[in-house]
Amino acid sequence: MEMKLKDNLSRLPDNTAMKQQQLPACHFHFSATRILTAFFAIGALCLVMGIILILSSKSAKTIEINYTKICANCAKLQENAFNFDKECTCSIPFYLPEKMQGNVYMYYKLYGFYQNLHRYIRSRSDSQLLGIDIKNVEDCAPFEKSHNGTPIVPCGAIANSMFNDTIILSYNLNSAIHIKVPMLRSEITWWTDKYVKFQNPSSRNLSNAFAGSTKPLYWSKPAYELDEEDPGNNGFINDDFIVWMRTAAFPTFKKFYRRLNRIQHFTEGLPAGNYSFNITYITSFQGEKAVVLSTLTWDGGSGLFLGFAYTVTGAMTWLVLFSMIAAHLMLKKRKTFFLQQ
Amino acid sequence: MTEPLQWARHHWQRLIYGANGDDDERPYNYSSLLPCGGKSSQTSKLAGKHRVVVPHLQPFKDEYEKFSGTYVNNRIRTTKYTLLNFVPRNLFEQFHRAANLYFLFLVVLNWVPLVEAFQKEITMLPLVVVLAIIAIKDGLEDYRKYKIDKLINNLITKVYSRKERKYMDRCWKDVTVGDFIRLSCNEVIPADMVLLFSTDPDGICHIETSGLDGESNLKQRQVVRGYAEQDSEVDPEKFSSRIECESPNNDLNRFRGFLEHSDKERVGLSKENLLLRGCTIRNTEAVVGIVVYAGHETKAMLNNSGPRYKRSKLERRANTDVLWCVLLLIVMCFTGALGHGIWLSRYENILFFNIPETDGHVISPVLAGFYMFWTMIILLQVLIPISLYVSIEIVKLGQIYFIQSDVDFYNERTDSTVQCRTLNITEDLGQIQHLFSDKTGTLTENKMVFRRCSVAGFDYCHEENAKRLETYQDAVSEDEDFTDTPSGSLNNMAKLRVHSCRTVHNGPLGSKPSNHLAGSCLAVGSGEGTSEVPHSRQAAFSSPIETDVVPDTRLLDKFSQITPQLFTPSDDEMAQDPLLETLYIIDFFIALAICNTVVVSAPNQPRQKLRLSSLSGMPIKSLEEIKNIFQRLSVRRSSSPSLASGKESPSGVPSAFVSRLSLFSRMKLASPVEEEVSQINESPEGSNDSTCHKEIEKELSDRGLTNGKVESLHGQPLASNLCYEAESPDEAALVYAARAYQCTLRSRTPEQIVVDFAALGPLTFQLLHILPFDSVRKRMSVVVRHPLSNQVVVYTKGADSVIMELLSVASPDGASVEKQQMIIREKTQRHLDDYAKRGLRTLCIAKKVMSDIEYAEWLKNHFLAETSIDNREELLLESAMRLENKLSLLGATGIEDRLQEGVPESIEALQKAGIKIWMLTGDKQETAINIAYACKLLEPDDKLFILNTQSKDGCEMLMSTILQELQKKNHQESSEQASLNEDLCQLPTSQDSGMRAGLIITGGTLEFALQESLQRQFLELTAWCQAVVCCRATPLQKSEVVKLVRNHLRVMTLAIGDGANDVSMIQVADIGIGISGQEGMQAVMASDFAISQFKHLSKLLLVHGHWCYTRLSNMILYFFYKNVAYVNLLFWYQFFCGFAGTSMTDYWVLIFFNLLFTSAPPVIYGVLEKDVSAETLMLLPELYKSGQKSEAYLPLTFWITLLDAFYQSLVCFFVPYYTYQGSDIDIFTFGNPLNTAALFIILLHLVIESKSLTWIHMLVIVGSILSYFLFALTFGAVCVTCNPPSNPYWIMQEHMLDPVFYLVCVLTTCVALLPRFVYRALQGSLFPSPVLRAKHLDRLTPKERTEVLKQWREVGKMDQVTSKYADHSAAKLGRRPMSGHSNVFVMMSATSCAAEQGNISVCETDLDSDMPKTSGMAGSTKD
């Protein structure tokens, strides 16, 4: 009580640095030397980084072949409703002037395909894809069930619109010998996708597990028959399927399709020479399709932009730096008292 | 300490407000009662709404149940919520806010399937969080109130219990209407009760209402008539009457009702019989009362209003910008809708990705566009910063916390610091342009110090006293710490509430049994030390500086001539000069001592103890005997001629008047008029009786004196023990002055006044009548029967102008006495003028001797006036006029009201800060001008214009003349000056032209100037002037002036004052500041901020105002920036997803980004940012101007901020876009670097904007970044399928291993921030603002700093000088006197001169010639 009394007697606020707002503070002081040093350092770093990036992206080799027009006939064929299911193959020859060293990746590239529409990306069932409950199709509207009411597996708009052209690259040693370039369809997805996010329903036989379900509307084969060569690559854990399900950010995008199996002729990559793509054309849309062959660099093949951007930024910084030096020198003559440091 | 009070008050207001609603469970609806309180009092109206109170005792149980059963008990619940209704009620309140409704609308919108942008539940999150934060805040507030309530409810008081047949301890909460309560001295009254018994023989009880209105002087309350005469304590058992009174209302000054005895006899009750909850019993040993209102129905509770909510200028500005944001949002959404429509018309048939509705058909583009509009609104909602309002509130709380904990605002003497009563206008403090200040008590100390007097035409200048005052400054500061109790301390109520009992452990009080009650005795201040000083309980207006007056030696000499022989029967023939002068002196000091309403009390003792103690000196023969004596006294009292008391005042009498009357007289309720008249008629004859009684009294006091160690001649151990409690400080000062001359006011009862006069011994004046002071008459009078001459004497004290007119007009052939009067009058007038010029407050003292017959005659008329129902006031005024005429002047007094410490410095600083200061005072012109000079409001070489006319035309002419003069001057000085005919808002300020002018305007003229037709001209005129002094201004005028300036010039105004007369002004101004001084708490109660001294204002404005303003405006701008920058990322993305309303960011991240990752740093920034240190801000008041011009937050600044936000968002989006363009990146992986870069940009932007970074900033920023990564990593690791479609699984982890991610983030951050960084860097070195330059000062050593400051000043001065020089070269050189003398332009147009009564114009010219002298005195040495 006595203590309390004493406390109450005074309303004197605590005289602490915190309460009196006297905390030691680091003032940002824009003194000339500091600023100039900072600008110089930033500029230098950017320039160096830019040059490195440009150099490295130059080292990457990419070839892109748009097959929309070449395969236009197939597309036309498909427009006719009667030929909906008919396979149509077109072949695109091309010449590789330089060999592509190292790992070569094959992509398909779509122009003007909006995989990022709000309702499109929502139309999937993650719990189905996890293999927990393949009948869980509630989020998949409007591709949840077929006309007779059986659930679609895999359901949803994304799965339904899966890219299903087949692209085969063959190496034409000469006009007679066409070697099919060995391609791997594994390891083109994120590890976590393949092993965590996508799981087949636990059943010895996939087709049994998928029993009582329908294949998606636009699919020609059910999910458990996607890869005839590798039975482990079927169902939800099919690599192509997983790649497709990771919806692209922009309407123009490329997606992993295959990677070079470096055996036989191709241990060092793709040698220069004549090649051709044999494409089994399935579906068309308003945009364009292309196939891309590319090597990867450490920066993930990000292209030239980043390098240029760094270079330009560095240059700009130095420009500002020089103009500031000039201004500072002028100021010094003026002898304004506060700019002495 | 201040907080509980605020909480409680705040709540009360809400409570009352809430009661207007329907959901209150309490049985009474106050709103229906309030009009009743406001209505003019008409007894007939009362009948319908009244309550009956019967004792809450067994015999009346049935009756009690019938009448009082439903009345609330004394338990108070100031909390708004209970555990049960907290959630619904709080939600209900919160949805009163427009912003919350908007977000609720968004949430609802998101539930519409076609429009849905996010998962339904997710949009609710921000709203829920915001609501929860506010709810938690409200809940905590409420909990604190609950605890305080509990404390108060559990205070102990003594309630009569029938079972025990005595008063038992009971909690406050258990007190019910009809309970009898017995309170001892210094206890707090638990409920409103009617006073039935007081130990005081006169049936009086004193209460201190400081808990209620802060006034520390004592108020008298009186026992209900009929009970006062009882000798013994009221016996609750025998109390069989019932009380009928009006229903609870909030009018503190009214209480009406009656007490009906069992024999149907009715006794009227008035507010004089009511003890109010929260007040403290003083000077009365014990009282008993019956509770009539309890708990929430007490007047104190009904009167409480919580802190006010004002909207600050900055917030208004921010609100318009929020509207701009809304517009921007609509534009963006419209763009989205349009884009989607167009896109859809191109891709309508692609069922691959443009998925149709479930029923297979595709929505038409137009409809889809319409839906998309709403989707976009949901998606981009963050553009309207939901967290802005919450953050602003939190920031303001933080700012207030820091303001309140500033040590510099602490005043040791009153143990008080600054109080922020309005919580949300801190930033307005930084934008004040006009300051309106009261003078008395605000600029001055309101410690009235007796300085000089003039008696019978001789001036006694009291030089020793002056010297004492000079040396006082230092000595007193330490001294007062001990002697001064916090009589004016702010929060007695609050102290009580938190149960801080300040019981005194020493002295008689501590040992008193009555003192046991914890939490009741607050004002007993002798707790410090062991009573070194006799003043252990300090009354108001009694610091040593006021009480110790050193007598003038010359006057003392004259005093020594006084002997009792002067009054030997032959004294009537005395006509010789020296003796006559001596008589004047005697009368003068007697008048000083008795012509007032001062209550005398001995410290620590109830008032009547004074008399009892003298009794106890003599051997007590028997108790009976003493009782007899007192009974005789009370017999006398019943036939007392003190008519002022009058009847139960009929409705027409203003309550103020009644209250004044009632202070020293008691109400004789409904007593038959005739009876009293007859008694009065008898009274002259009955003088035998009175003399007899007087003798007894004299004997008693003589004995007491001898017993009490006879008063010595010079030191007065006994006299100094007396405490005077005066209504106004002037009165106290005069009484103390009289005491210094051994003319000590010993006691005062409604019948008699005892004065110890050195040589004459104790004199007992029979008090016949008091005509109290009122502002119309400007004087007061007492009518007494002089004990020596046995004549009826009228002593009048009043303003000199009034008294001078009432003096008896000497006929030219009059007697020598009359001639002498003339001389005295002239001399005194000269002295008065002299006093006024020295800034002293003057009063004239006069007297008049009446014959008994004359008096009886007057009394009869006066009585008629008092009892009349129509025109009562006028009749009373007339009656007073009849009494107060033909006075003979005794002398005059000069009282100094000293400037408060640090006032001139503060005013100088504030003026330098570009604040225009107006002084509004009720004082006379000369006093006001002199104070203005003394406090540096006016500089010696200012031009002075005096507006003092008696007609509107004159005023107009005068103003236009002055304006022309000014204009001419100005045109000479700068021909390019904007013409005056421009809009008022762009009036040229005189600062620009380097000329300073001051305007003095008197109340009468102000009346004209405030009229519609002259307003504009008046404002134009004042715009030229640095300082404006309005003297003789009424409270209403004060508020009108503030209103005029505020509304017409559209400037930020601040009003500061300390008294009740400043309340209206304080309420009108943008910011009202109350000074918790000696004049009570009304000003503080009405104010937004309360400080204890004027000098604190400069730091409050210059430092805290500046900080609060810059902090908050920067924070608000930053909030806009932050939201726009972040939301635009989403917007840009729409261009690449067909305007489909897709978000590339996970929703949780999106929401947490605003709520968690970037919310704390701006708040910290808003609370702790310090652009310039406090010292520099104080040193350079000029820096304040940036706030006045709203430099930190101009419309342009807002748009530049938005532009920067747009730029940054563009960079932040397109750098990653181009990097990842055409790659296989998926939506949410693309969003990740965007978010990360945005986080860095937004936080580093803050770092660039911050002028100072403390470890707290660092901690919060680093914490924000860490929390972001932690969240992203955890979310990415845990969330496999949750939250479709974003699937953040492993994205962050993947990116953390990808060098491109880092490259992108670094580049984006650099490019986005580069322009702002360059701008800030250039600003810092190329064109620094004054604030930035001042910031530079902070880093220098003190020595360097003074050096630089000097340089700075010189540069500033040089600029001024050059401009002045130019002015001068243009104008006639040398016309301006350089000698430092002021040139006073007294402009009197012919008409106004004609209208003037000669007197005043003489005064003006007088002033003119004298001004250099006085200004020289006040002038600074400027070098």
Side-chain angles (χ1 to χ4, degrees), chain B residues 722-832:
Chain B
L722 295 169
C723 266
Y724 299 126
E725 320 236 8
E727 261 186 280
S728 80
D730 304 68
E731 280 192 340
L734 293 180
V735 175
Y736 283 116
R739 195 178 74 180
Y741 287 98
Q742 314 290 318
C743 174
T744 312
L745 176 66
R746 285 220 71 97
S747 78
R748 161 186 282 276
T749 64
E751 289 78 42
Q752 58 185 23
I753 305 168
V754 181
V755 175
D756 275 343
F757 206 97
L760 305 175
L763 303 173
T764 306
F765 291 85
Q766 191 194 343
L767 183 55
L768 300 175
H769 214 97
I770 291 184
L771 294 175
F773 180 87
D774 67 56
S775 51
V776 182
R777 281 163 49 236
K778 289 181 180 159
R779 59 185 179 263
M780 76 164 290
S781 303
V782 289
V783 186
V784 293
R785 187 171 292 281
H786 203 286
L788 302 176
S789 60
N790 208 17
Q791 286 168 318
V792 176
V793 183
V794 182
Y795 290 108
T796 306
K797 173 183 83 177
D800 48 353
S801 56
V802 185
I803 300 285
M804 285 302 183
E805 283 169 27
L806 296 173
L807 297 181
S808 56
V809 189
S811 47
D813 56 329
S816 61
V817 182
E818 280 179 337
K819 268 187 200 153
Q820 200 181 9
Q821 260 293 308
M822 284 292 291
I823 298 164
I824 291 175
R825 198 174 147 178
E826 275 168 29
K827 281 183 173 173
T828 310
Q829 185 63 57
R830 264 209 303 282
H831 297 151
L832 281 173

Side-chain angles (χ1 to χ4, degrees), chain A residues 73-86:
Chain A
N73 291 334
C74 287
K76 235 175 215 166
L77 185 75
Q78 302 236 321
E79 270 169 30
N80 191 331
F82 295 109
N83 303 325
F84 182 74
D85 281 347
K86 271 196 183 152

Side-chain angles (χ1 to χ4, degrees), chain B residues 515-699:
Chain B
N515 231 15
H516 74 284
L517 172 61
S520 61
C521 28
L522 325 155
V524 203
S526 65
E528 299 100 335
T530 46
S531 65
E532 314 119 275
V533 197
H535 307 258
S536 49
R537 198 187 102 60
Q538 200 90 26
F541 319 126
S542 54
S543 64
I545 194 164
E546 290 167 290
T547 56
D548 301 343
V549 178
V550 181
D552 190 79
T553 40
R554 271 196 306 141
L555 195 53
L556 267 186
D557 286 345
K558 286 181 183 164
F559 255 82
S560 60
Q561 296 169 15
I562 301 172
T563 54
Q565 283 75 45
L566 274 174
F567 290 92
T568 46
S570 64
D571 63 354
D572 278 2
E573 292 113 53
M574 290 288 197
Q576 296 108 325
D577 250 11
L579 276 181
L580 193 69
E581 196 196 337
T582 315
L583 279 181
Y584 269 119
I585 290 172
I586 294 170
D587 271 331
F588 181 78
F589 282 98
I590 285 174
L592 289 192
I594 67 173
C595 185
N596 50 46
T597 56
V598 168
V599 176
V600 188
S601 63
N604 300 338
Q605 283 166 23
R607 189 182 61 87
Q608 73 278 13
K609 282 270 168 166
L610 206 62
R611 271 192 280 165
L612 288 173
S613 71
S614 58
L615 273 174
S616 66
M618 59 186 187
I620 300 170
K621 289 156 199 161
S622 70
L623 265 175
E624 280 306 302
E625 205 171 328
I626 297 167
K627 217 178 245 176
N628 282 341
I629 293 169
F630 280 104
Q631 250 155 20
R632 281 176 74 185
L633 293 183
S634 43
V635 169
R636 276 294 317 152
R637 184 184 45 221
S638 66
S639 65
S640 147
S642 63
L643 285 176
S645 55
K647 317 277 141 286
E648 151 87 309
S649 52
S651 52
V653 183
S655 56
F657 184 64
V658 174
S659 75
R660 272 184 195 281
L661 283 176
S662 51
L663 265 171
F664 43 83
S665 60
R666 61 217 52 183
M667 294 296 196
K668 298 280 184 285
L669 297 163
S671 66
V673 174
E674 298 81 3
E675 187 189 306
E676 213 153 318
V677 172
S678 65
Q679 276 168 358
I680 289 144
N681 288 341
E682 279 166 15
S683 74
E685 290 93 55
S687 57
N688 284 343
D689 188 15
S690 74
T691 41
C692 159
H693 138 242
K694 190 167 58 198
E695 271 160 22
I696 296 171
E697 190 70 19
K698 205 168 169 186
E699 190 186 59

Side-chain angles (χ1 to χ4, degrees), chain A residues 1-2 4-5 8-15 18-30 34-35 38-39 42 46 49 53 107 109 112-124 126-127 130 139 141-144 157 160-162 190 192-193 196-197 218 246-256 283-287 298-300 302-303 305-306 309-310 313 316-317 320 324 327-328 331 334 337-341, chain B residues 1 116-119 343 346-347 350-358 363 401-402 404-407 410 415-417 489-491 495 500-502 505 1104 1107 1111 1133 1136-1138 1140-1142 1147 1167 1170 1175 1214-1215 1217-1220 1222-1230 1247 1250-1256 1280-1281 1284-1285 1287 1289-1291 1294 1299-1300 1303-1304 1306-1307 1311 1314 1317-1318 1320-1322 1324-1326 1328 1333 1335-1336 1339 1348 1351:
Chain A
M1 191 65 195
E2 202 75 285
K4 219 177 171 185
L5 259 174
N8 284 335
L9 275 178
S10 171
R11 260 171 262 151
L12 178 71
D14 294 345
N15 196 356
M18 170 75 200
K19 280 197 165 189
Q20 298 309 314
Q21 311 190 52
Q22 304 280 0
L23 282 180
C26 133
H27 290 274
F28 269 98
H29 170 239
F30 296 110
R34 274 192 227 173
I35 290 174
F39 271 81
I42 294 173
C46 284
M49 203 65 234
L53 279 171
Y107 302 84
K109 188 166 184 179
F113 192 99
Y114 286 81
Q115 252 204 328
N116 53 14
L117 297 182
H118 183 55
R119 290 177 51 217
Y120 177 84
I121 58 170
R122 295 207 60 175
S123 184
R124 66 190 280 165
D126 277 325
S127 71
L130 254 178
D139 292 332
F143 299 102
E144 46 212 325
N160 187 47
S161 60
M162 185 175 141
W190 291 20
T192 49
D193 282 1
V196 183
K197 273 174 80 174
Y218 293 166
R246 193 164 272 281
T247 51
F250 307 110
T252 299
F253 60 89
K254 63 182 181 187
K255 280 183 184 291
F256 270 127
T283 42
S284 67
F285 66 108
Q286 247 173 24
W298 62 273
D299 60 0
S302 59
F305 172 76
L306 208 54
Y310 264 103
T313 310
M316 287 296 290
T317 315
V320 171
M324 276 171 89
H328 182 64
L331 263 185
R334 248 205 269 158
F337 56 83
F338 68 94
L339 242 189
Q340 292 303 307
Q341 301 197 345
Chain B
M1 207 49 127
E116 172 189 1
F118 298 142
Q119 276 168 306
W343 179 86
R346 270 178 61 201
Y347 286 92
I350 314 289
L351 301 185
F352 276 121
F353 45 83
N354 182 25
I355 54 173
E357 287 301 292
T358 327
I363 329 162
Y401 172 78
F402 278 120
Q404 286 190 334
S405 51
D406 192 326
V407 167
Y410 181 69
D415 184 35
S416 61
T417 178
S489 96
L490 302 180
N491 293 313
K495 274 190 234 161
S500 88
C501 171
R502 288 225 219 150
H505 300 282
H1104 288 285
W1107 279 348
R1111 281 168 182 176
Y1133 187 63
F1136 301 96
C1137 70
T1142 315
Y1147 300 143
V1167 176
K1170 210 163 87 173
E1175 296 78 38
F1214 282 100
V1215 169
Y1217 170 74
Y1218 283 116
T1219 309
Y1220 291 114
S1223 75
D1224 61 338
I1225 195 154
D1226 70 289
I1227 302 178
F1228 297 98
T1229 316
F1230 173 68
V1247 172
S1250 296
K1251 305 292 188 302
S1252 67
L1253 289 176
T1254 63
W1255 61 265
I1256 301 178
V1280 180
T1281 60
N1287 284 323
Y1289 189 66
W1290 224 249
I1291 288 179
E1294 196 81 18
V1300 180
L1303 287 173
V1304 167
V1306 168
L1307 181 70
V1311 176
L1314 205 61
F1317 186 69
V1318 170
R1320 288 288 172 211
L1322 286 182
S1325 52
L1326 285 181
R1333 286 166 56 183
K1335 201 187 101 191
H1336 181 84
R1339 293 178 305 109
V1348 173
Q1351 269 177 308

Side-chain angles (χ1 to χ4, degrees), chain A residues 190-223:
Chain A
W190 291 20
W191 186 89
T192 49
D193 282 1
K194 176 111 181 169
Y195 297 100
V196 183
K197 273 174 80 174
F198 291 83
Q199 293 294 309
N200 277 328
S202 50
S203 170
R204 200 171 295 169
N205 195 332
L206 256 187
S207 55
N208 284 350
F210 281 62
S213 64
T214 326
K215 70 176 173 62
L217 194 63
Y218 293 166
W219 285 22
S220 49
K221 295 178 274 187

Side-chain angles (χ1 to χ4, degrees), chain B residues 39 177 198 333 659 769 889 894 901 952 1078 1190 1245 1375:
Chain B
K39 255 176 215 159
V177 173
S198 164
C333 292
S659 75
H769 214 97
L889 187 65
E901 190 192 338
K952 195 183 163 190
Q1078 308 210 4
S1190 306
H1245 183 96
R1375 181 171 168 186

